[in-house]
Amino acid sequence: MTTAAEQPALVDPRPPDPMRWRAAVFVLVAMALDLIDTTIIVVALPGLQSRLHTSGAVLQWVVEGYTLTFALFLVTAGRIGDMLGRKRVLLTGIGLFVAASAACGAATGPAMLVVARVVQGLAGALVVTQGLSTFQVAFPERERARVFGLFGGLSGLASVLGPVLGGLLIHANLFGWGWRPIFLINLPVGLVALAGVARYARESRAPERRRLDVTGVLLVTAALLAVLYPLVQGRELGWPAWSFAVMAASVPLFALFARHERAKQRRDGFALVQPALFGRRAFTTGLVMLLFFFAGIGGFFFPFTFYLQSGLGFSALGAGLAVVPYALGAMVTASFSPLLAQRLGRVVLSAGIAVMAAGMLGLMFTVGRHGASTGVPVLVPSLVVVGLGMGLVVSPVVDLVLSGVPERDAGSASGVLNTALQLGAAAGVAVLGVLFFGLLAGEVAPGAPDPARAAGFSRAFAHVLWYETGFLGVAFLLTFLLPARLRPRR
């Protein structure tokens, strides 16, 4: 998770921490909160729109504010822990996350909610990076696979648990607070995690002094915002000329970032991202593949749950439970796909993405055929197929993409990989969200009766599914440029 060849810094010369497993329980609880908050929000969006009187672009920023900040800060959060102490930064992250969750729950308007979500994303990046670094330092090599396996399983479960938990909390309408408990539930759980980490985790930091590449952080942040901000706001503003100019400006910003990183690495070896990684074709191809893959998946839940609730009249609980068939399918194939990938290599990824694309096409056909009468029973078969394909990909993809990366670069490579994953999801929400709300404007007339409204939503969502299938198609083709088999790291 950390960057810039930090693998040697993650070796602790002291004996293994005797409290490491107790500490791991509370660290995993804190990490689960951060991961759940990436998807718990999606079932609350229709309620937020009606209660806070927000536009589609603001709803996208409620989602993007968290995801994008999380992704951007992943690159630098690990370095901060190395400098200041991993336990200290982890505790700061948990405390900041609890405070930001309270601000989200108390938000009186869309601006306050978006700002609080941005702070949540920053805190979430601190918690996840420091949690993984703490595991790396506290656990001997023979135990790391077990604790990282727990985190991997938690990651997959959290993404699916978010909409279900959100639906349950909104349906319960605790104290008449509507959508607010989806954030306020973080307070008691987060405080328990904070106390546990403070009690059982052991402090550690890098033995040598490390410097933060502030210029690199500013350049990559500016370049990414130059792409995503106009995408989200452009449709609301009628696509003014400045929106295209700002997107075009991202190209020289990315080029300047790459040039700066090469110079920084030559000068002092503390580049934000290891430039040498991008000289490896398999790694670079894998990153691009992950961007397209997670753009398709990350952009799915946002329009799907909004379509179910605002178009078909599902409750928040109903929309959350509609994700369960997808989750069950993913759990089945994720249980054996890593072993399968060790024998068959990239074929497993290709097959998984192809199965997912078939499921997406099945959803598109079902929604287009049933229109306003679409219900969960007719959606279940295709959702299960999408989940089965997802499980084939998410468990082995990291090992396959990192295959052949030298051990000394593993820390930097995993940090870049996780950033690409989150950025792909953020880009998917931005692009597919713009398409969805743009199509709705043409399909659903203001004040349309319920059957006509549902039919318009169905047509718009069917179009979005076509584009999602296109993202998966590009990812499918890129899998053939990955290594055919897992390569041992040197």
Side-chain angles (χ1 to χ4, degrees):
M1 241 342 164
T2 52
T3 56
E6 295 168 358
Q7 205 66 5
L10 296 183
V11 177
D12 194 332
R14 297 173 292 181
D17 183 358
M19 295 291 185
R20 59 190 179 277
W21 281 109
R22 293 186 184 183
V25 170
F26 293 100
V27 173
L28 286 169
V29 168
M31 296 167 85
L33 289 180
D34 303 330
L35 296 169
I36 287 172
D37 262 52
T38 60
T39 56
I40 197 172
I41 188 67
V42 293
V43 294
L45 294 176
L48 287 171
Q49 187 175 41
S50 61
R51 298 287 181 87
L52 299 180
H53 308 290
T54 63
S55 65
V58 172
L59 291 182
Q60 286 181 257
W61 280 116
V62 171
V63 179
E64 292 278 21
Y66 185 92
T67 308
L68 183 58
T69 309
F70 189 98
L72 291 174
F73 208 62
L74 276 174
V75 182
T76 59
R79 183 65 58 82
I80 292 174
D82 288 339
M83 294 188 298
L84 302 180
R86 298 180 183 100
K87 178 180 177 178
R88 177 188 296 180
V89 176
L90 177 58
L91 290 172
T92 301
I94 297 173
L96 189 61
F97 187 84
V98 169
S101 297
C104 287
T108 56
M112 181 178 175
L113 181 58
V114 170
V115 170
R117 286 285 285 173
V118 168
V119 177
Q120 261 195 326
L122 187 152
L126 286 175
V127 171
V128 171
T129 53
Q130 299 316 305
L132 292 175
S133 294
T134 298
F135 293 159
Q136 181 79 10
V137 171
F139 285 86
E141 187 174 355
R142 66 181 181 278
E143 294 179 355
R144 284 177 199 155
R146 184 178 173 191
V147 72
F148 282 122
L150 288 173
F151 171 72
L154 181 69
S155 300
L157 181 62
S159 65
V160 175
L161 190 60
V164 178
L165 179 59
L168 287 169
L169 290 171
I170 293 172
H171 179 75
N173 194 23
L174 299 173
F175 309 109
W177 291 348
W179 53 268
R180 298 181 189 276
I182 69 172
F183 298 113
L184 297 178
I185 191 68
N186 293 335
L187 273 63
V189 181
L191 290 173
V192 169
L194 187 68
V197 171
R199 172 69 178 83
Y200 294 114
R202 186 166 71 178
E203 183 62 281
S204 66
R205 67 185 70 201
E208 73 276 15
R209 182 176 178 82
R210 292 177 175 271
R211 295 177 293 278
L212 187 63
D213 181 9
V214 177
T215 303
V217 172
L218 294 176
L219 284 172
V220 74
T221 301
L224 292 165
L225 285 177
V227 175
L228 293 175
Y229 183 81
L231 273 178
V232 174
Q233 291 296 131
R235 187 191 65 82
E236 292 282 326
L237 301 175
W239 296 110
W242 67 260
S243 64
F244 296 100
V246 171
M247 282 190 280
S250 68
V251 176
L253 283 171
F254 277 119
L256 190 59
F257 171 70
R259 180 179 177 182
H260 168 78
E261 291 302 286
R262 288 193 294 269
K264 178 75 172 171
Q265 185 65 20
R266 287 194 301 269
R267 187 165 60 249
D268 58 21
F270 290 127
L272 189 65
V273 175
Q274 283 279 49
L277 288 173
F278 297 97
R280 298 180 175 277
R281 192 188 72 171
F283 180 76
T284 306
T285 302
L287 288 183
V288 178
M289 185 273 289
L290 284 174
L291 283 170
F292 279 96
F293 177 77
F294 281 98
I297 299 308
F300 172 72
F301 287 108
F302 175 42
F304 178 58
T305 55
F306 197 88
Y307 158 65
L308 293 179
Q309 291 177 263
S310 294
L312 301 183
F314 280 40
S315 66
L317 178 60
L321 293 176
V323 180
V324 171
Y326 165 90
L328 293 176
M331 288 170 61
V332 170
T333 48
S335 65
F336 62 81
S337 57
L339 293 175
L340 198 62
Q342 288 181 355
R343 298 185 61 183
L344 302 179
R346 70 185 181 200
V347 172
V348 176
L349 297 188
S350 304
I353 295 174
V355 170
M356 287 186 70
M360 289 290 186
L361 291 173
L363 279 175
M364 184 178 68
F365 174 78
T366 300
V367 169
R369 179 182 179 186
H370 293 275
S373 62
T374 302
V376 170
V378 297
L379 295 173
V380 165
S382 295
L383 287 171
V384 170
V385 172
V386 174
L388 290 171
M390 178 73 168
L392 286 173
V393 177
V394 291
S395 291
V397 67
V398 172
D399 276 346
L400 282 166
V401 173
L402 293 181
S403 177
V405 172
E407 190 69 31
R408 67 180 182 275
D409 294 332
S412 180
S414 63
V416 174
L417 190 73
N418 280 282
T419 300
L421 185 156
Q422 294 295 332
L423 287 175
V429 172
V431 174
L432 296 175
V434 166
L435 286 170
F436 183 59
F437 285 112
L439 290 164
L440 280 181
E443 294 284 0
V444 182
D450 286 345
R453 177 181 176 83
F457 264 85
S458 296
R459 288 191 295 270
F461 183 59
H463 278 91
V464 169
L465 287 170
W466 176 252
Y467 287 101
E468 291 193 34
T469 306
F471 283 140
L472 293 176
V474 175
F476 171 78
L477 294 175
L478 289 170
T479 60
F480 293 99
L481 299 179
L482 294 174
R485 293 284 190 275
L486 283 169
R487 298 174 185 168
R489 294 183 190 168
R490 300 180 295 279

